[in-house]
């Protein structure tokens, strides 16, 4: 179906992204998967091409175009090439908005140029070993001591934590017995600060090119100058930025489902069973038709929400609806595609197997499908 959310500028950006991904990502991807991370240099190459700093103001080396559609194009192009750029996506779609929204003038001078060039890599640390979905339940503490906070606690499942120079940590700076959501603060912890440790790199079933690590904070002295926004206001900041984080997952899910379908159509035309192409069976045709229909429905929903996000009007419940639907369409599609590949679909040398393992987490991170349903139900007044 025709899509009309992009302008010629986005399409020019798409050509740049496509060329970069085809030449610099696809050939190296298997090696990065083995290494369990993307090399630092790839961020600097992306930065040099202007692919990281579109939303960063021009005075700091960015393009001054705070338009989420550029981020969406980058993701679509990665999925089209059957790769994922998880850590890049976290940096520009999830973490950069916190800096853009809440950094003060001094912090902008200090951090924005490095964020635009890809010389400063970031991670965001909300989840803890004891709490993920229930963000207000986090136990890490930030106790004010003069011009510093003393940070203690542990975080887990942190994307890009291994290479991160700056980690945006959410910690509790005060407790209000009547309001669990009050008292959370965002602190930017720098690599190398005494007491800050990067722990185990976790072994995952998919998304192998993005590292996922545990982090620990043992009496880390974080200057007040590294606080993003107001003390105690972080829950509101998370609520403000989570719709974009959820859209990011949704946009990637639809694009990945589409890429899986394209790869499957090619495969079933070639592969023969009982002397005839697998594509000739009515079951195959029906499966492909059903998948294509679901993908178009998810695409229309996601495109509509992308425009709402760009206009600053996307509500939390609507972002939750799109994430829920897009990730479930992705899961169904990739599973059905794998089935059509038969035994080869189960072999890691065929990309469909990787898409299958990569896809699973989309219904978990950035808020689980169940949490999306809780948010949607609340908006229905139940
Ligand atoms: C690969 C990967 C990368 C990640 N990257 C990051 C990152 O960079 N930074 C970060 O901070 N976090 C990150 N996360 C963490 C992720 O956001 C959490 O895993 C997710 O929010 C779920 O939290 P949890 O794992 O603690 O599950 P839990 O909260 O323990 O949930 C367990 C189960 O209970 C269900 N459940 C929970 N609450 C409810 C409810 N109210 N009603 C019904 N069911 C409920 C959940 O849906 C789930 O099925 C990452 C996770 C993964 C797997």
């Amino acid at each position: 179906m025709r899509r009309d959310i992009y302008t010629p500028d986005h399409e020019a950006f798409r050509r740049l992204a496509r060329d970069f991904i085809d030449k610099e990502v696809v050939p190296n991807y298997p090696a990065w998967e083995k290494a369990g991370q993307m090399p630092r240099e790839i961020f600097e190459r992306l930065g040099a091409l202007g692919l990281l700093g579109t939303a960063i103001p021009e005075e700091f080396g960015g393009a001054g175009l705070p338009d989420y559609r550029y981020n969406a194009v980058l993701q679509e192009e990665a999925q089209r090439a059957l790769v994922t750029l998880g850590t890049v996506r976290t940096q520009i779609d999830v973490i950069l908005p916190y800096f853009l929204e809440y950094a003060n003038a001094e912090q902008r001078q200090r951090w924005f140029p490095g964020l635009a060039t890809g010389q400063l890599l970031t991670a965001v640390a909300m989840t803890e070993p004891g709490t993920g979905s229930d963000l207000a339940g986090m136990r890490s503490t930030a106790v004010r001591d003069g011009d510093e906070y003393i940070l203690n606690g542990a975080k887990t499942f942190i994307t890009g934590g291994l290479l991160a120079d700056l980690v945006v940590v959410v910690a509790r700076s005060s407790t209000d017995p009547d309001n669990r959501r009050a008292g959370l603060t965002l602190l930017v912890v720098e690599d190398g600060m005494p007491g800050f440790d990067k722990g185990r790199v976790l072994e995952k079933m998919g998304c192998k090119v993005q590292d996922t690590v545990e982090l620990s904070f043992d009496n880390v002295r974080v200057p007040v100058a590294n606080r993003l926004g107001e003390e105690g206001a972080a829950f509101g900041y998370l609520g403000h930025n989570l719709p974009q984080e959820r859209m990011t997952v949704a946009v990637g899910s639809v694009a990945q489902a589409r890429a899986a379908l394209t790869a499957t159509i090619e495969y079933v035309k070639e592969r023969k069973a009982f002397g005839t192409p697998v594509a000739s069976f009515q079951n195959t045709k029906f499966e492909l038709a059903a998948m294509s229909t679901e993908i178009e429905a998810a695409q229309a929903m996601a495109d509509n929400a992308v425009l709402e996000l760009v206009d600053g009007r996307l509500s939390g419940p609507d972002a939750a609806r799109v994430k829920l639907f897009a990730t479930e369409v992705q899961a169904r599609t990739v599973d059905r595609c794998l089935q059509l590949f038969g035994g080869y679909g189960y072999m890691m040398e065929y990309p469909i197997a990787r898409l299958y393992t990569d896809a699973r987490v989309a219904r978990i991170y950035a808020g689980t499908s169940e949490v999306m349903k809780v948010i949607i139900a609340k908006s229905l007044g139940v």
Side-chain angles (χ1 to χ4, degrees), residues 124-127 132-133 157-159 204 361 364-366 368 370 374:
V124 62
M126 302 181 235
T127 307
S133 302
F157 304 149
I158 306 308
T159 302
K204 304 188 293 297
V361 76
I364 297 171
Y365 62 12
T368 63
E370 293 72 29
V374 170

Side-chain angles (χ1 to χ4, degrees), residues 161-185:
L162 197 59
L163 292 180
D165 305 294
L166 303 176
V167 182
V168 179
V169 179
V170 193
R172 182 160 288 290
S173 50
S174 63
T175 320
D176 176 347
D178 297 326
N179 182 3
R180 301 168 69 231
R181 295 177 170 190
L184 296 177
T185 296

Side-chain angles (χ1 to χ4, degrees), residues 17 34 43-44 54 56 59 152 175 192 243 254 263 286 318-319 370:
K34 274 210 178 75
F43 288 89
E44 290 173 19
T54 48
I56 294 176
E59 58 187 303
N152 280 290
T175 320
V254 180
F286 282 10
D318 281 346
E370 293 72 29

Side-chain angles (χ1 to χ4, degrees), residues 34-360:
K34 274 210 178 75
Q37 65 186 89
M38 288 167 62
R40 270 194 99 87
E41 305 79 73
I42 203 74
F43 288 89
E44 290 173 19
R45 293 278 302 114
L46 281 160
L49 283 172
L51 294 170
L52 293 182
T54 48
I56 294 176
E58 281 174 289
E59 58 187 303
F60 302 112
L65 294 167
D67 176 346
Y68 174 75
R69 284 172 290 184
Y70 290 102
N71 306 31
V73 164
L74 186 57
Q75 274 213 68
E76 286 179 4
E77 286 306 309
Q79 299 294 355
R80 187 197 64 87
L82 303 172
V83 297
T84 50
L85 296 173
T87 346
V88 176
R89 172 168 114 174
T90 310
Q91 169 128 347
I92 60 177
D93 292 9
V94 178
I95 303 167
L96 187 58
Y98 288 102
F99 283 94
L100 292 173
E101 199 77 36
Y102 306 112
N104 60 31
E106 181 277 322
Q107 292 170 333
R108 288 169 162 248
Q109 293 283 351
R110 195 156 36 120
W111 292 323
F112 282 15
L115 294 172
T117 58
Q119 272 150 342
L120 274 185
L121 303 190
T122 58
V124 62
M126 302 181 235
T127 307
E128 301 186 350
T131 191
S133 302
D134 178 18
L135 284 173
M138 66 178 66
R139 309 278 289 270
S140 295
T141 54
V143 177
R144 181 83 182 247
D145 181 29
D147 289 342
E148 296 172 323
Y149 287 94
I150 303 173
L151 177 65
N152 280 290
K155 298 286 180 180
T156 193
F157 304 149
I158 306 308
T159 302
L162 197 59
L163 292 180
D165 305 294
L166 303 176
V167 182
V168 179
V169 179
V170 193
R172 182 160 288 290
S173 50
S174 63
T175 320
D176 176 347
D178 297 326
N179 182 3
R180 301 168 69 231
R181 295 177 170 190
L184 296 177
T185 296
L186 299 183
L187 295 178
V188 179
V189 176
E190 297 170 28
D191 191 23
M193 281 182 165
F196 169 34
D197 250 349
K198 296 178 175 180
R200 237 165 20 112
V201 178
L202 301 165
E203 206 178 323
K204 304 188 293 297
M205 66 185 274
C207 298
K208 301 279 189 188
V209 295
Q210 71 194 51
D211 63 275
T212 306
V213 302
E214 296 175 331
L215 302 176
S216 70
F217 307 92
D218 180 13
N219 289 315
V220 182
R221 291 193 160 266
V222 185
V224 170
N226 278 24
R227 188 184 72 212
L228 274 183
E230 297 301 315
E231 182 176 299
F235 199 90
Y237 300 162
L238 300 177
H240 182 261
N241 282 5
L242 282 172
Q244 174 157 325
E245 179 169 352
R246 289 175 180 149
M247 276 312 299
T248 284
V249 176
V251 165
S253 293
V254 180
Q256 198 204 62
R258 194 181 282 288
L261 181 65
T262 304
T264 306
I265 291 169
E266 279 170 28
Y267 182 81
V268 295
K269 283 187 191 161
E270 293 295 320
R271 176 73 179 169
K272 290 203 165 112
F274 297 94
T276 178
V278 171
S280 69
F281 301 128
Q282 191 185 47
N283 175 66
T284 307
K285 294 178 198 288
F286 282 10
E287 283 292 272
L288 296 174
M291 286 189 267
S292 164
T293 306
E294 282 205 341
I295 291 167
E296 292 304 335
Q299 187 77 73
M301 196 180 186
D303 281 356
N304 191 29
V306 164
L307 292 181
E308 295 267 299
L309 181 67
V310 171
D311 286 348
R313 287 188 290 135
L314 183 67
S315 71
D318 281 346
R321 286 182 178 91
V322 183
K323 183 188 183 262
L324 176 66
F325 186 65
T327 56
E328 298 202 344
V329 166
Q330 173 193 25
R332 280 196 291 277
T333 304
V334 174
D335 185 59
R336 291 160 100 175
C337 285
L338 191 148
Q339 188 69 17
L340 290 172
F341 270 75
Y344 290 106
Y346 198 66
M347 301 299 141
M348 291 311 285
E349 64 199 81
Y350 281 79
I352 199 73
R354 179 160 47 71
L355 297 190
Y356 184 82
T357 52
D358 283 0
R360 189 60 186 89

